[in-house]
Amino acid sequence: MSTHFSLLDYIVFGLYALLIIGIGLWISRTKKGEEKTADDYFLANKSLPWWAIGASLLAANISAEHFIAMSGSGFITGLGIAAYEWMAAVVLIIVGKYLLPIFLEKKIYTMPQFLQVRFSKGVSTVFAVFWLMVYVFVNLTTVSYLGALAMEKIMGIPLFWGVIGLASIAGIYSIYGGLKAVAWTDVIQVVFLIGGGLVTTFLALNAVGGGSILHGFSEIFTKARDHFDMIITQGHTIIPDTLDPVTGEVLTTKDAFYDLPGVAVLLGAMWVTNLGYWGFNQYIIQKGLAAKSLEDAKNGLIFAGYLKILIPLLVIVPGITAYVLINNYTPEELSVIIGKPAELIGGIIKSDEAYPWLLKNFVPEGVRGLAFAALIAAIVSSLASMINSTSTIFTMDIYKNYMNKTATDKQLVYVGRIVAFVALIISSLAAQPLLGGLDQAFIYIQEYTGFIYPGVFVVFIMGLFWRQATANAAWWTAIATFPASILFKVTMPDTPFQIRMGYVLIILILIASVVSFVDKGKKVRSACPESFMGKSALNSGWVLIGIAAIGVVLGLIYSEPLEHLAFSSIYMFSVMIAFIGVIIITNVKMNVADANAIEPDSSIFTTGPAFNIGAFGIMAICTLMYFLFW
């Protein structure tokens, strides 16, 4: 695929890179004679307003895995992949109202630190190691690899040097400046990200529609109607699975149901994935921990929710547009639509090449540099956030706990910078060997981060809200998480990973519940305080148990006849609801609690009109989207 990246495009892109690095370094500066404190380096001195939190959350989340990989999933599968985005918007409401306020009240730096406060150092360390491995070998590698793939296809830069270049841009200011530099450059990058993304979408739709964006959308909806189904049934869509990394030849195929199994996207483990990612993932929640006030933190998450609703228009619709263009038009017709010779248009071998193909063919000179800057903005901002959070977890949860308990701020910042640099080097070297033969890297990310999210969900939910949960329960749940995920992966390889995650969740909830009830641990006599979860909550607990029981009955009746819709996922949903019900009931009825149980002031859960109206709007929009595209 030829590049067609003009001198003007290079200039525009180069100016963007200089702008981001310059702003990052300018924000990172300190007064003469002053040293950065750990609070400043890792939590931006707790100074972020709501709009900066929302923008930084989106910038940290949206990356090459969206512009490249999710667009690729849109190309081959369709709008169904938007379930990750729209459910995330709903989950951000839950995180903003119930989870983040407790973390802020406890004044923590990292998620493992919370586990140490609530449970034990051992539990904290297990999850710290989990996250470090995921960040380095899944998140950093996929983001840098997909970004470099785009640079190779559009600019002609060899893949290895693209990885090094992206790591260098992100590393220059994030390693030196910490979270403050990351967050404030994110605000700038979100403008590029959304603006450039919309430009690519609208130009492609405009070309398909013969000068009308609305007609273009109508055309792709008509010609790829099966790509606009949010709920994918078994056997409906067969897609490539693995490709020859050299020739691009399809080696194996699979059912798209394997990645997006029917109603499991609404009832199954996607809830666990999203709550784990948005509620307990360090490089995401760290932005909320840096809020200047509780109200700013909550409203920032609502703002991020609206931005998430917009993302399918930026990344999935372009993928579907590319699918329509490649499969419904001859090279001669494409030549007329695009306005260039057929031999210069090229094709799409791997699904993840869809977005670079659009960028090359539909975005004009100069604007192409801006649109590509949007893509790189998404990549660099995510890399910077992951780098900072990797260094934060290692420094605060490993180095300070085990290597130097009396470390000064200067030592902590120094170690954080070294760790960030090492993480970048390792992930850069591992990127191509791990991902070179995949067709949809987005699914790779979801499946392998899903190996730990069931355990993350169970441990954090019971740590936050269950007064009877003990350190031993958390320890055994954490230890069982990875082996259970591997076991189901090996023994049920043909089962969709979201269903497997549901089975793992059920097992972990049983382990956590049994150990918590049997283990006396450090339990002390303690009545449930009215400020946390008084007797008025008892009825809601029984209602949840009743809903769970109905869900199990429906599963027994309809799981087999609705197997093509993965209706068995209702079992996981029912167990999850029952777990929450048990937590509420036992909190009220049992007069003992773990010595380290969290008993927050109920006032932190109060939300203002802006949050409530915003939350209602998110729910209404997401419901409408599923109604229209079911």
Side-chain angles (χ1 to χ4, degrees):
M1 185 183 291
S2 53
T3 65
H4 293 278
F5 216 62
S6 70
L7 177 61
L8 181 58
D9 293 323
Y10 281 110
I11 292 172
V12 171
F13 176 72
L15 288 174
Y16 152 76
L18 291 175
L19 174 68
I20 294 303
I21 292 173
I23 291 175
L25 292 176
W26 182 74
I27 292 171
S28 303
R29 74 197 192 286
T30 55
K31 293 181 180 179
K32 189 175 181 180
E34 287 187 0
E35 294 283 350
K36 282 189 181 294
T37 64
D39 201 45
D40 187 32
Y41 189 78
F42 297 115
L43 286 183
N45 210 24
K46 297 183 179 178
S47 61
L48 300 184
W50 66 269
W51 49 272
I53 293 169
S56 191
L57 277 170
L58 186 79
N61 168 240
I62 303 303
S63 185
E65 67 209 60
H66 287 79
F67 275 100
I68 303 298
M70 186 172 273
S71 186
S73 294
F75 176 88
I76 202 68
T77 304
L79 192 63
I81 201 72
Y84 283 98
E85 304 306 298
W86 292 337
M87 185 175 286
V90 175
V91 164
L92 281 165
I93 300 172
I94 299 172
V95 175
K97 184 170 178 64
Y98 295 111
L99 308 183
L100 184 57
I102 300 178
F103 295 140
L104 287 170
E105 185 185 49
K106 294 300 175 183
K107 296 180 172 59
I108 63 170
Y109 278 86
T110 71
M111 294 296 97
Q113 182 188 359
F114 170 79
L115 295 178
Q116 182 173 340
V117 171
R118 175 61 179 90
F119 293 120
S120 69
K121 185 183 289 188
V123 175
S124 169
T125 302
V126 168
F127 278 97
V129 173
F130 275 175
W131 267 306
L132 288 173
M133 292 182 66
V134 168
Y135 288 163
V136 174
F137 293 106
V138 178
N139 294 123
L140 282 170
T141 51
T142 50
V143 170
S144 57
Y145 170 79
L146 291 172
L149 178 65
M151 295 180 76
E152 181 181 53
K153 297 299 180 183
I154 298 170
M155 300 177 71
I157 296 175
L159 194 67
F160 175 78
W161 293 111
V163 170
I164 298 300
L166 290 171
S168 298
I169 294 174
I172 287 172
Y173 68 86
S174 63
I175 292 175
Y176 177 65
L179 185 61
K180 183 182 290 185
V182 171
W184 288 108
T185 52
D186 280 351
V187 174
I188 305 297
Q189 300 200 92
V190 161
V191 176
F192 280 91
L193 190 158
I194 294 178
L198 288 175
V199 164
T200 305
T201 301
F202 289 160
L203 286 173
L205 287 175
N206 187 68
V208 174
S212 169
I213 292 170
L214 291 178
H215 182 62
F217 187 84
S218 176
E219 280 288 297
I220 67 168
F221 182 79
T222 302
K223 293 179 177 177
R225 181 62 189 86
D226 62 337
H227 271 53
F228 284 89
D229 294 332
M230 288 299 299
I231 303 299
I232 295 176
T233 57
Q234 190 170 17
H236 182 266
T237 307
I238 305 301
I239 62 175
D241 185 21
T242 57
L243 306 177
D244 186 301
V246 177
T247 65
E249 179 186 355
V250 177
L251 300 178
T252 60
T253 60
K254 65 178 176 181
D255 191 340
F257 178 84
Y258 184 84
D259 298 329
L260 296 166
V263 295
V265 297
L266 297 176
L267 299 175
M270 196 175 286
W271 283 104
V272 176
T273 300
N274 272 293
L275 280 164
Y277 180 87
W278 292 100
F280 314 124
N281 185 343
Q282 182 66 29
Y283 83 83
I284 292 297
I285 205 69
Q286 192 165 343
K287 311 303 173 65
L289 297 177
K292 68 179 182 180
S293 70
L294 179 57
E295 185 177 6
D296 278 284
K298 292 178 179 179
N299 291 339
L301 266 64
I302 289 294
F303 179 41
Y306 278 96
L307 295 176
K308 287 294 287 179
I309 290 174
L310 183 65
I311 294 306
L313 181 61
L314 273 65
V315 298
I316 300 174
V317 171
I320 299 173
T321 304
Y323 174 84
V324 170
L325 287 164
I326 289 292
N327 291 281
N328 289 271
Y329 296 92
T330 65
E332 292 73 25
E333 289 172 331
L334 280 178
S335 180
V336 173
I337 291 173
I338 297 173
K340 65 169 65 173
E343 61 271 16
L344 297 181
I345 294 173
I348 297 175
I349 298 174
K350 296 174 65 173
S351 301
D352 289 345
E353 294 175 0
Y355 196 85
W357 183 83
L358 286 174
L359 203 58
K360 187 197 78 170
N361 286 307
F362 288 90
V363 182
E365 183 177 310
V367 180
R368 187 185 297 119
L370 179 64
F372 189 62
L375 170 59
I376 300 303
I379 296 164
V380 169
S381 58
S382 293
L383 284 174
S385 294
M386 293 169 189
I387 293 165
N388 184 259
S389 292
T390 301
S391 70
T392 303
I393 288 178
F394 184 89
T395 304
M396 305 305 292
D397 297 303
I398 304 296
Y399 176 76
K400 191 175 182 181
N401 269 340
Y402 294 100
M403 301 177 185
N404 189 353
K405 295 181 179 180
T406 60
T408 63
D409 279 349
K410 183 176 180 179
Q411 290 172 318
L412 293 175
V413 171
Y414 176 75
V415 169
R417 287 170 173 163
I418 295 296
V419 170
F421 180 75
V422 172
L424 266 182
I425 296 298
I426 294 173
S427 62
S428 296
L429 294 175
Q432 189 169 4
L434 286 176
L435 300 169
L438 295 179
D439 184 57
Q440 293 187 78
F442 183 79
I443 300 302
Y444 167 84
I445 299 168
Q446 302 310 318
E447 178 165 5
Y448 287 98
T449 53
F451 274 37
I452 69 166
Y453 276 140
V456 169
F457 173 85
V458 174
V459 170
F460 273 93
I461 290 297
M462 69 180 184
L464 286 164
F465 300 111
W466 199 9
R467 300 171 68 243
Q468 281 71 46
T470 66
N472 282 334
W475 170 259
W476 285 111
T477 302
I479 291 299
T481 298
F482 204 71
S485 297
I486 294 292
L487 178 64
F488 279 104
K489 171 74 172 175
V490 172
T491 59
M492 305 176 68
D494 297 325
T495 301
F497 70 88
Q498 290 189 34
I499 303 296
R500 296 201 310 265
M501 282 177 63
Y503 294 151
V504 173
L505 181 76
I506 291 171
I507 290 174
L508 297 183
I509 285 176
L510 291 174
I511 291 173
S513 301
V514 170
V515 176
S516 288
F517 284 127
V518 172
D519 179 31
K520 295 182 179 180
K522 298 179 181 178
K523 288 181 180 177
V524 296
R525 285 200 163 273
S526 173
C528 179
E530 286 291 329
S531 62
F532 180 30
M533 196 178 287
K535 293 185 178 180
S536 61
L538 189 60
N539 289 338
S540 62
W542 286 114
V543 167
L544 290 175
I545 295 293
I547 293 172
I550 293 172
V552 170
V553 172
L554 290 175
L556 292 172
I557 297 172
Y558 293 111
S559 286
E560 188 171 344
L562 296 179
E563 184 181 0
H564 63 291
L565 287 174
F567 193 72
S568 60
S569 58
I570 198 170
Y571 292 128
M572 191 228 79
F573 190 77
S574 298
V575 171
M576 186 171 67
I577 293 296
F579 183 49
I580 297 172
V582 168
I583 288 175
I584 294 173
I585 292 169
T586 54
N587 277 344
V588 175
K589 299 290 286 184
M590 297 182 71
N591 62 355
V592 295
D594 187 76
N596 295 327
I598 302 293
E599 295 179 351
D601 185 341
S602 62
S603 65
I604 66 174
F605 301 124
T606 302
T607 51
F611 183 96
N612 295 334
I613 294 171
F616 177 80
I618 288 173
M619 294 293 296
I621 293 171
C622 291
T623 301
L624 178 62
M625 290 298 101
Y626 268 93
F627 176 77
L628 292 175
F629 300 112
W630 182 271

